[in-house]
Amino acid sequence: MAIKGILLDKDGTIVDFWRTWVPINREVALFAARGDQALADRLLRHGGQDPETDRVAAGTVLAAGSVEAIAGAFVEVLGKTSPANLAREIDRIFTEGGAKHSVLLAGARKAVITLKQRGFRVGLATNDTAGGMQASLARHDLIAHFDFLAGCDSGFGAKPGPGMVEGFCRALGIGAGAVAVVGDSVHDLEMARAAGAGLKVAVLCGTSARADLAAHADLVVADVAALLHEPQFARAA
């Protein structure tokens, strides 16, 4: 498979999901619960995060959902007691929290820069908002290394729809068959399949285990840094 472009997920792929998002999810749930800790714990469980262990189940809204999906899940519990403009407030907390808590995965920055040096066009696609993406990566001096950026509110739709891959292809003049999509969730891989991406790559450094991802991926690696040792990523086509 001749790969020219690489579209990376953010959280769990470039950004350390556990160190970054566990405290943010807790803050969002407590806000939505208006300070009621017992209710906040119910919201976390409903969204996929165990409030006792802080483990987040693969494929749940708190693992891979958009701001709108998380707000919708919380409303299922809160009903008419939901705070006004909940999705907008979640986005605000995510943006502020990303700027405060964001931690890159080991080797991620070097991997992105090296892949660019090898001639690949590299994009970033996330179910976080564009503002949240900028906030969580600004402190790491990484944004400028991407050729394409897409959040769930950037006009391409959210994962697992194909829009972000299609937007990447249009922006850079690359056919979908020459694109590798790399992510830590089934949402990422379903997006790749829906768009006809040439290579679906799963990483095991996020919320999903090999058993969750293997059936949906063409290639499974430990993390983005491991791509540098795979023959498909030795040099751009």
Side-chain angles (χ1 to χ4, degrees):
M1 180 62 61
I3 298 300
K4 297 180 180 179
I6 304 168
L7 188 59
L8 300 166
D9 170 52
K10 178 169 73 75
D11 300 306
T13 303
I14 296 296
V15 169
D16 187 317
F17 179 89
W18 303 105
R19 296 171 68 186
T20 302
W21 286 98
V22 162
I24 298 173
N25 288 346
R26 282 188 165 277
E27 185 176 350
V28 160
L30 194 60
F31 168 83
R34 302 179 188 273
D36 183 331
Q37 187 62 62
L39 180 55
D41 287 351
R42 282 183 60 201
L43 293 175
L44 286 171
R45 288 192 183 92
H46 189 69
Q49 180 169 321
D50 186 330
E52 296 182 3
T53 66
D54 280 331
R55 299 306 295 175
V56 182
T60 59
V61 291
L62 288 176
S66 66
V67 167
E68 294 288 346
I70 294 169
F74 284 2
V75 168
E76 290 173 358
V77 174
L78 297 170
K80 294 181 179 179
T81 67
S82 300
N85 303 310
L86 181 56
R88 188 173 67 192
E89 291 301 313
I90 291 174
D91 181 31
R92 175 185 61 79
I93 295 169
F94 277 4
T95 300
E96 294 172 357
K100 179 180 179 181
H101 296 290
S102 175
V103 177
L104 289 186
L105 284 160
R109 187 174 188 277
K110 178 183 177 181
V112 171
I113 293 171
T114 302
L115 290 167
K116 288 275 293 180
Q117 291 171 341
R118 292 180 181 182
F120 294 99
R121 307 300 297 274
V122 182
L124 192 67
T126 177
N127 264 353
D128 194 1
T129 61
M133 172 175 53
Q134 293 280 348
S136 62
L137 292 180
R139 62 191 291 189
H140 303 297
D141 189 27
L142 193 56
I143 287 286
H145 294 285
F146 291 103
D147 299 298
F148 174 86
L149 298 166
C152 65
D153 59 348
S154 296
F156 305 105
K159 303 174 188 178
M164 293 183 191
V165 178
E166 294 170 349
F168 178 62
C169 292
R170 286 194 301 269
L172 299 177
I174 299 172
V179 171
V181 173
V182 183
D184 73 308
S185 76
V186 172
H187 272 16
D188 298 309
L189 304 175
E190 288 182 340
M191 174 183 70
R193 179 192 55 77
L199 190 64
K200 302 182 291 294
V201 183
V203 292
L204 301 177
C205 46
T207 58
S208 302
R210 183 180 294 271
D212 301 314
L213 301 172
H216 303 275
D218 303 309
L219 176 66
V220 181
V221 295
D223 52 30
V224 170
L227 295 180
L228 302 180
H229 307 291
E230 294 292 332
Q232 300 95 322
F233 301 98
R235 186 174 300 277

